[in-house]
Amino acid sequence: MVQLISRTASVSPKGRQVEFPRQLVHRSDPEDVFPTGWTRQTDTQFSVSARWPRAHRFFAPVAGRYQDPLLIAETMRQTTMLLAHAEFDVLVGDQFVMWELGYTSSPESLALGARPEHPDHPDGSWDITVDVSCSRIKRRGRGLGSMSLELLLHRNGSRIATGGGRISCTSAKVYERLRGDRHALIGVPVPLLPAVAPREAGRTSERDVVLAPTPHQGVWQLRLDTGHPTLFGRPNDHVPGILLLEAARQAANVVSSGRPFLPVSLETAFLRYVELDRPCWIEARIVPADTPSTTRVQVRATQDGEPVFTSTLDSPDRTEEAQGTRS
């Protein structure tokens, strides 16, 4: 489960784009905020504008050739938070949980040009649009109980990715009762474990590695750096969902034995909160894919003997000789 904490709420006039404070996507650093505004099309359909940087301290290009595919997941996550707060009356202090998240893309959709492609963005950033359709909306009083979302990300008329997710909401009182004394762990230091070699995990910096080695092949312990500026962008009483997605991507890189792994497709289920103060084990294995020339990796996370997270990631076997590390 991925917890999303409400900060504030506002409502957009129909058909007019609205800008918003970055607190609506639960990011304090502007560098980590990707949506830039939204327009209400109908009561259940919205268009969200976003900007992807060509250079980012964490979501950096893969081998200098491709936008980081996890930008898709993070943009979907932030878009969901934005609309839940701004359009579906999620009250200040309410909590909501993401249960499922998935997307499908392609290397061609994520390929970077050799030079900036828009005169207004000499840094090479991309302006994209996210079309959102909300369904299976269940209300809790005047607020939101749960809903599903379908998302289409496109740029200059070309599709980047399609995806979807499912969230549910609860009141602050219910969340406090559910979590018990977990709030006391916010800000408590977590011992930093040794890291898998960054290159094996598809990274260049040890600080970005979220896997710790174990004696068992295909098994790692989740490595938590609660001071990481992006993965822990705000205090939390459990492991953030984006960190679990990154753990799945890094595990896929390791089991691919040095072959480039570009997760152009991902399907994830968040089953339970992952606690900060107990070991979480990440397991990964290559399984048969639905299409040829595709590497598929299944990842499972367990804690206290129970599954807490599952993910299936697909990568094309050849991505123009790309090396699976950040540039």
Side-chain angles (χ1 to χ4, degrees):
M1 292 186 285
V2 184
Q3 177 206 10
L4 311 174
I5 301 177
S6 174
R7 299 294 187 188
T8 184
S10 62
V11 178
S12 67
K14 181 178 179 180
R16 181 162 63 88
Q17 187 174 68
V18 179
E19 296 182 352
F20 60 94
R22 57 182 176 268
Q23 289 85 352
L24 282 181
V25 296
H26 307 166
R27 290 295 191 181
S28 58
D29 191 331
E31 183 178 347
D32 293 332
V33 176
F34 302 127
T36 57
W38 82 97
T39 302
R40 180 194 298 170
Q41 307 292 349
T42 71
D43 288 344
T44 59
Q45 295 176 309
F46 308 89
S47 180
V48 176
S49 59
R51 180 168 296 173
W52 284 357
R54 187 178 181 116
H56 187 272
R57 65 188 172 207
F58 185 76
F59 298 104
V62 178
R65 295 177 181 268
Y66 305 99
Q67 287 280 16
D68 183 349
L70 286 195
L71 275 171
I72 301 169
E74 179 63 10
T75 301
M76 291 170 58
R77 191 182 71 87
Q78 291 187 19
T79 294
T80 300
M81 287 187 284
L82 169 62
L83 295 178
H85 287 311
E87 295 287 352
F88 288 95
D89 301 320
V90 175
L91 299 177
V92 173
D94 279 4
Q95 315 291 329
F96 52 107
V97 170
M98 181 165 283
W99 295 92
E100 298 169 359
L101 179 69
Y103 66 77
T104 300
S105 184
S106 68
E108 295 77 19
S109 300
L110 298 169
L112 291 167
R115 61 186 63 183
E117 302 172 25
H118 195 291
D120 293 339
H121 305 315
D123 59 354
S125 60
W126 287 9
D127 283 333
I128 69 170
T129 301
V130 186
D131 294 331
V132 185
S133 179
C134 304
S135 63
R136 289 182 281 185
I137 300 167
K138 296 183 179 179
R139 291 287 182 176
R140 178 174 51 82
R142 295 184 60 186
L144 179 66
S146 63
M147 70 176 175
S148 297
L149 303 95
E150 295 182 359
L151 304 96
L152 167 65
L153 287 70
H154 55 97
R155 171 175 176 260
N156 296 333
S158 298
R159 182 174 68 180
I160 297 174
T162 59
R166 179 170 64 91
I167 65 168
S168 65
C169 304
T170 190
S171 69
K173 288 185 178 180
V174 171
Y175 180 77
E176 184 176 350
R177 187 163 62 246
L178 172 69
R179 295 295 287 156
D181 60 358
R182 293 286 97 188
H183 281 292
L185 293 176
I186 296 177
V188 175
V190 176
L192 186 62
L193 300 174
V196 167
R199 186 170 182 82
E200 290 183 22
R203 285 288 174 181
T204 57
S205 171
E206 183 176 293
R207 187 171 194 189
D208 293 332
V209 176
V210 300
L211 301 179
T214 74
H216 307 289
Q217 186 174 4
V219 180
W220 306 267
Q221 185 172 346
L222 194 63
R223 180 177 186 263
L224 304 178
D225 177 2
T226 55
H228 193 285
T230 297
L231 296 177
F232 281 90
R234 59 179 177 83
N236 216 323
D237 67 358
H238 63 274
V239 176
I242 188 61
L243 194 149
L244 296 173
L245 293 176
E246 177 62 19
R249 186 244 294 273
Q250 291 187 19
N253 269 278
V254 178
V255 299
S256 296
S257 302
R259 287 181 294 171
F261 196 91
L262 190 75
V264 296
S265 175
L266 176 148
E267 289 291 338
T268 294
F270 301 94
L271 306 175
R272 297 175 58 187
Y273 291 111
V274 180
E275 308 297 351
L276 298 168
D277 60 342
R278 299 201 287 274
C280 178
W281 307 101
I282 307 295
E283 307 170 36
R285 63 192 181 101
I286 295 177
V287 298
D290 294 336
T291 58
S293 303
T294 298
T295 298
R296 172 169 291 178
V297 177
Q298 286 185 346
V299 179
R300 183 178 75 146
T302 59
Q303 191 170 63
D304 299 328
E306 297 290 335
V308 293
F309 166 84
T310 63
S311 188
T312 300
L313 308 90
D314 285 357
S315 170
D317 288 341
R318 295 181 61 84
T319 51
E320 298 179 1
E321 309 300 327
Q323 302 299 310
T325 57
R326 302 298 171 274
S327 59

